[in-house]
Each structure stands twice: as C-alpha cells, then as structure tokens.
Amino acid sequence: GWFGMTDVPAVILAGGRATRMGGGDKALLPLKSATLLDHVLLRLRPQVGDIAINANGDPARFEAFGLPVLPDSVTDHPGPLAGVLAGLDWAAGLGAEAVITVAADTPFFPSDLTERLATLDQPLVLAATRDDSGRLWRHPTFGLWPVALRDDLRSALNDGVRKVVQWTDRHDGRFAEFPDEAAFFNVNTPEDLARAEAMT
C-alpha cells in the first residue's frame, strides 16, 4: 500500500436516521450484550489508527465511547458523502493522507477491510461484492478516501451531488472485491436486528 495502513484514521458513519427502526440512532441499538457501534469498533480497531464517529445532533449520546464526534460539515443531511467530507476534514487536521469509512449499522464487515482496500494501490477505493449471478454490488459507505479530494467533494456537495458513486466515478474510483457478501449485511429493520443476533 502507499502508506502505513494500520495508521490510517477511520470514521464510522453513524449519521443515518433509523427511520425503519422507529427513529433514533442505529449505532446505539443493542446487539447481544453490546451496541451495534461496539461490534463495529471491535472489528475496526485492529485495522486502523485514530477513530471518529460521524453523527449529527447532541454528541453527548456517544460520550461513553470516548471518540471524537464529527457533525456533517454540509447542512441538510445530504447522505453519506457529507459524513465522508467531515471525515476527510478531520483526517486533514491529523496530517493524514486518507481516511477509511465504515457504516455504523454493518456489524460483520470484513476484518481485512483496510488491507483489501489498500491492495489496489489507488487513492480512491470502495468495497464491493458479487452475487451468485456475478453482478457487482457496491458498498459505498466502506471506502478509502484521499484527503486531497476534500475540497472537490465539498464543491460537489454544494452543487447538489448526493450519490456516492456519482462522485467517485468522476475521480476514477475503483472497487475492491470482497468474497463474502454476508459481511456487508446491514441492520435496517427490527427483523434485521434479530438476524444479526443470530449471526453473532
């Protein structure tokens, strides 16, 4: 890879509103004896350096985790890209060249996420899997993002770009393929949470 990967900072994207769960923070939902966020942190910590949480509203609700909470730097909640931008701005302040993002509602993501994203030796890489028919499924909340593109992303968001791949395609974003589609299972509904319980 092009830098010491286990040193790369990471941001957990927890900005989504859990509308299908009845509101609140998906990240703080209970899974076994912990929260979804605890499970995400357990997988993430060995893979990265500094960690922050991207979430809007009162940061005190994440106090127990002892991590910086970064609100979106662009208002009106324009989706995950605003969280990516908040992460890039934070990473720039740390002097880092890139940031890794993971989703707060995906507790089983690969333990070699960082490694595989870095293997392509590209500045901008998103995770993807293939289904049985060979179709590529993109997981745009899991990626490696170069700090050098943060001002471009800021302009794109201000111009109304909302879809992650709409922006990453402009910058020759590549996809790192992961063999296990189930690893990217994410919790959206109470049924999903029950499934996650069974998977832990």
Side-chain angles (χ1 to χ4, degrees), residues 154-175:
R154 203 182 321 278
S155 316
L157 283 168
N158 288 328
D159 290 345
V161 171
R162 295 294 175 259
K163 284 201 165 19
V164 175
V165 291
Q166 187 186 350
W167 183 74
T168 56
D169 284 353
R170 278 186 205 171
H171 294 285
D172 198 27
R174 303 297 173 88
F175 293 96

Side-chain angles (χ1 to χ4, degrees), residues 27-43:
L28 301 178
L29 288 169
L31 179 58
K32 290 289 200 241
S33 57
T35 63
L36 276 180
L37 188 53
D38 287 308
H39 287 271
V40 167
L41 281 165
L42 207 58
R43 287 193 176 246

Side-chain angles (χ1 to χ4, degrees), residues 61-138:
R61 64 196 197 274
F62 294 106
E63 215 157 17
F65 297 91
L67 298 170
V69 177
L70 318 171
D72 289 346
S73 26
V74 184
T75 50
D76 84 6
H77 305 276
L81 279 175
V84 172
L85 178 59
L88 287 171
D89 286 342
W90 168 72
L94 298 174
E97 289 177 52
V99 71
I100 294 270
T101 56
V102 301
D105 61 1
T106 309
F108 312 114
F109 69 87
S111 45
D112 61 351
L113 177 79
T114 295
E115 204 181 311
R116 277 180 184 266
L117 290 174
T119 322
L120 291 193
D121 221 33
Q122 295 286 330
L124 180 54
V125 183
L126 302 181
T129 49
R130 285 192 190 273
D131 62 19
D132 296 338
S133 66
R135 183 177 161 205
L136 193 73
W137 289 86
R138 306 177 288 200

